[in-house]
Amino acid sequence: MDRTELESFMDNLYEIGCVKFGEFYLSTGLKTPVYFDLRLIVSHPKVLQQAGKLIKQIIEQNNINFDIICGVPYGAFAVATSLSIQTDKPMVFKRKEIKDYGCKKMVEGVYKSGDSCLLIEDVVVYGTSILETSEALKMYDLNVTEAITILDREQGGSQNIKDNNINFLSVIKASDLLKHLVSRKRIAQEKMDEIMDFLNSHSFQASKIIIS
């Protein structure tokens, strides 16, 4: 990836308030001293464009081939849309539940049986949302072998996703972002050490949620 672009992106994440310190609860129920609120990117077009650009670079550098893009609901929808525009690849989206009206489909958009689908996520903790989305797409005979997230919290999600036969890549890891903030004197080294100790001690055992 373009290092200058990546550093600018990390600066922007901090500036727009995506990195929060305090006490927060994740969707998993875990209380955490840091929260990466990447949903805020949707309100910042330039940062949204950067996110799509950096993911596109990962795709090109790793020679990832795919037919369609799907953002994991709902946090990654905007980033997936940005990527779709920049790569000129069609996008589909997965509902959280099937509606009892209209076409009554879980997966909306134009696709065909056998299409390869690239999953896009904003933040990965344990990887559960990627795996659940993958299973839903498979019900529509779509192939999911690749997933990219903007940020990996380094709490076991990467390995869990890989153990479920999905190649996983990230734009940045939590440690990358925190190291950058230390270098920019945004946070103290002690704060980074405290957070990384927490993340390392609250990682998930991937084998517990392997999907058959």
Side-chain angles (χ1 to χ4, degrees):
M1 282 183 290
D2 182 328
R3 186 65 197 179
T4 301
E5 187 80 53
L6 182 61
E7 290 183 353
S8 170
F9 180 63
M10 290 190 286
D11 286 334
N12 288 335
L13 291 182
Y14 182 82
E15 291 294 336
I16 67 176
C18 290
V19 187
K20 305 179 188 295
F21 302 103
E23 290 188 357
F24 306 91
Y25 284 91
L26 302 178
S27 60
T28 59
L30 178 69
K31 185 166 75 171
T32 173
V34 63
Y35 185 64
F36 301 105
D37 189 7
L38 268 57
R39 294 187 181 209
L40 294 178
I41 291 176
V42 70
S43 298
H44 300 272
K46 290 183 179 179
V47 185
L48 181 60
Q49 186 176 30
Q50 270 188 316
K53 182 177 180 180
L54 289 167
I55 293 174
K56 182 182 177 184
Q57 289 179 14
I58 289 177
I59 291 168
E60 293 170 345
Q61 290 169 0
N62 291 275
N63 297 313
I64 298 173
N65 296 310
F66 59 96
D67 300 307
I68 56 177
I69 298 166
C70 180
V72 174
Y74 289 111
F77 278 9
V79 175
T81 302
S82 174
L83 179 64
S84 173
I85 292 169
Q86 294 187 45
T87 58
D88 196 29
K89 289 281 191 175
M91 175 182 159
V92 300
F93 71 88
K94 171 194 167 291
R95 292 183 179 274
K96 284 201 169 181
E97 57 194 22
I98 297 176
K99 302 297 183 183
D100 58 2
Y101 54 83
C103 295
K104 301 181 181 180
K105 294 193 298 184
M106 177 72 80
V107 180
E108 301 285 357
V110 178
Y111 52 87
K112 63 182 184 298
S113 175
D115 275 350
S116 58
C117 183
L118 170 64
L119 285 182
I120 300 298
E121 178 64 296
D122 58 348
V123 179
V124 162
V125 184
Y126 301 145
T128 310
S129 294
I130 283 180
L131 298 181
E132 290 175 348
T133 302
S134 172
E135 287 302 297
L137 294 172
K138 288 176 183 177
M139 291 172 59
Y140 290 82
D141 201 24
L142 298 174
N143 297 319
V144 180
T145 59
E146 307 282 347
I148 302 175
T149 189
I150 297 175
L151 187 140
D152 176 9
R153 282 181 60 106
E154 299 179 274
Q155 290 183 265
S158 173
Q159 190 58 53
N160 185 47
I161 293 165
K162 291 175 182 177
D163 285 347
N164 281 277
N165 302 311
I166 298 175
N167 185 42
F168 176 77
L169 296 166
S170 62
V171 174
I172 52 176
K173 295 179 173 62
S175 57
D176 296 328
L177 181 53
L178 294 172
K179 285 177 185 176
H180 181 73
L181 295 179
V182 169
S183 73
R184 290 286 201 256
K185 302 188 184 304
R186 301 291 194 178
I187 62 171
Q189 181 67 49
E190 292 75 16
K191 171 63 76 173
M192 174 184 168
D193 293 342
E194 172 192 333
I195 292 171
M196 289 310 301
D197 285 345
F198 173 86
L199 297 179
N200 292 331
S201 63
H202 291 81
S203 61
F204 193 77
Q205 295 298 320
S207 60
K208 292 183 179 179
I209 54 174
I210 292 178
I211 296 178
S212 60

